[in-house]
Every structure is written in structure tokens, then in C-alpha cells.
Amino acid sequence: MEMLVVTGASLLAGFVDSIVGGGGLVLVPALFATFPGAPPATLLGTNKSASVWGTAAAAAQFGRKVQLQWASLLPAAAVGFAGSLLGAWAVTVFPGEFLRQALPFILLAVLGYTLARKDMGRHHVPRFIGQHETMAACAVGLLIGLYDGFFGPGTGSFLVFLFVRWLGYDFLNASASAKCINVATNLAALMLLAAKGHVWWHYGLVMAAANVVGSVLGTRVALKHGAGFVRGVFIVVVSALILKSGYDAFLR
């Protein structure tokens, strides 16, 4: 029964995450509810062992259908990987409680800005070209990589927002590009947690297969319905993140 619950949650998480990020909203609470006595690091590591494969599958699917700027994204993914490792180290030195309390307000600002700018992310008009785009993408990779390693919730959604707002991508191209960096940041966190023995591989491998199936389905839906659909899902996911992070920070 436990395997059935977490596998189903992983399937749904892969579907949501492939479109606009936020799969952790589904899978992490499911793991904590199913295994309430397990160490949090082990549950987070097991989550990463599944989600990294789903994110990679989504990136591959998008890469075949969307013209991604690999010359910019590959360096950005490498920088994101390093940033995630650095963030994971930093969390062992500095307290992260301030981020837990600030997150709902940051997400609220992101949601408010997205709702106010109704045309934002509907058209793909990149603001940078060549090396300038690479530098901008690397800055996004470093910033969100640090955040993902140090704290984590909403990483995919923050990546999408920055690609839309700063680099001028539409929501579909932003979601596709975000996956490439998110694979790297997830992999860095997984390597650290696995090295410390914080992964249940017997659950993780089955969950990974389900996450990949969900990611493939979600990617196909996003590609079929385009940027407007992805924008709508982004608004729903960010709203859910605000409620979840606000509850965790102030009510639980």
C-alpha cells in the first residue's frame, strides 16, 4: 500500500512538474504522510531520486520539440550544479529559517506581478543574444542553484519566472529551458544525499519510473496547448506554493 501511494503521487508530481515545476508540492507531502517516522533527509533524498529522472525526461521531450538555446543552457546548468552543491553546504553552516518565513511573500510578489502583466510570457521575444544570453542564463542558474541546494521549494517555478521576466521567453520556452537547469540542481542535491545514505532506492527506482511517465504526459500536454496554458498552470502552482509555504512558516 505504501508503494502504491508514493508511486501514484510520483506520477502526478511528474505531470505537474514537467509543465511548470512544483512537483514537490505533491510528492514531498505524500512521502512525509506515508512515512511519518522517517528522517526528513531520507525522504527528501528519495524524492530527488525520483524527480531528477522525470525532470530529465521532460527536458529531453521539450528538447525535441522546442528550439532550446543549448549554447546558453549547458553552461547555465553547470553553474546551477555548482550553485546547488554550494547551497547544500551552506545549509549546514547557516540557519535557513529566514527563507522559510520570507518565501510566501516572495511567491506572492511573483504571483501579483504575473497577474498584473497579462501579456507577460505570451510571446517569445528574447532580450539577449549570444554571450549576453549565456551570462544571463548562468546568473539564473547560479542564483536558483544556490536556492535549490539551500532550501528548495518552488525552484522550478522560480526558474520559469526568471526566464520569462528577465530573459524575455514565453512560458513554454521558459518551462523547457528551466528543466535543463533543474536537472543539474536536482542531480547535485541527489549526489550529496545519496553519499550520506539518505535515499531509499527500493522506493526511489519505482517512483522514478512513475515520475518519468507523468513527465512525458505533462510535456505532451504543455506542447499541445502552448504558452497560454503553461501560464495558467504556473499561476495555479504558485498559488498553491503560497498556501503551502505560508502554512509551513506560520501555522504548523
Side-chain angles (χ1 to χ4, degrees), residues 163-177:
F163 270 105
V164 170
R165 177 62 187 91
W166 191 24
L167 275 77
Y169 287 16
D170 66 16
F171 270 98
L172 182 62
N173 279 271
S175 183
S177 300

Side-chain angles (χ1 to χ4, degrees), residues 49 53 200-210:
S49 72
W53 293 104
W200 285 340
W201 292 109
H202 58 296
Y203 283 107
L205 294 175
V206 177
M207 289 163 55

Side-chain angles (χ1 to χ4, degrees), residues 165-218:
R165 177 62 187 91
W166 191 24
L167 275 77
Y169 287 16
D170 66 16
F171 270 98
L172 182 62
N173 279 271
S175 183
S177 300
K179 297 294 172 289
C180 302
I181 298 177
N182 210 180
V183 169
T185 61
N186 279 342
L187 183 60
L190 175 60
M191 289 172 61
L192 277 175
L193 291 166
K196 294 182 177 293
H198 288 302
V199 177
W200 285 340
W201 292 109
H202 58 296
Y203 283 107
L205 294 175
V206 177
M207 289 163 55
N211 202 264
V212 168
V213 173
S215 290
V216 170
L217 294 174

Side-chain angles (χ1 to χ4, degrees), residues 49-103:
S49 72
S51 62
V52 69
W53 293 104
T55 306
Q61 286 279 107
F62 276 122
R64 288 196 289 267
K65 300 291 186 179
V66 178
Q67 189 174 357
L68 296 175
Q69 299 301 314
W70 291 110
S72 299
L73 289 174
L74 291 178
V79 172
F81 182 91
S84 186
L85 287 176
L86 183 59
W89 168 81
V91 79
T92 66
V93 179
F94 306 103
E97 187 60 29
F98 72 95
L99 266 180
R100 184 183 300 276
Q101 295 183 348
L103 182 60

Side-chain angles (χ1 to χ4, degrees), residues 205-247:
L205 294 175
V206 177
M207 289 163 55
N211 202 264
V212 168
V213 173
S215 290
V216 170
L217 294 174
T219 304
R220 290 179 178 176
V221 170
L223 289 168
K224 179 179 179 180
H225 294 285
F229 171 78
V230 177
R231 182 182 190 272
V233 176
F234 177 83
I235 291 171
V236 171
V237 169
V238 171
S239 299
L241 276 167
I242 291 169
L243 295 175
K244 177 66 167 61
S245 60
Y247 173 79

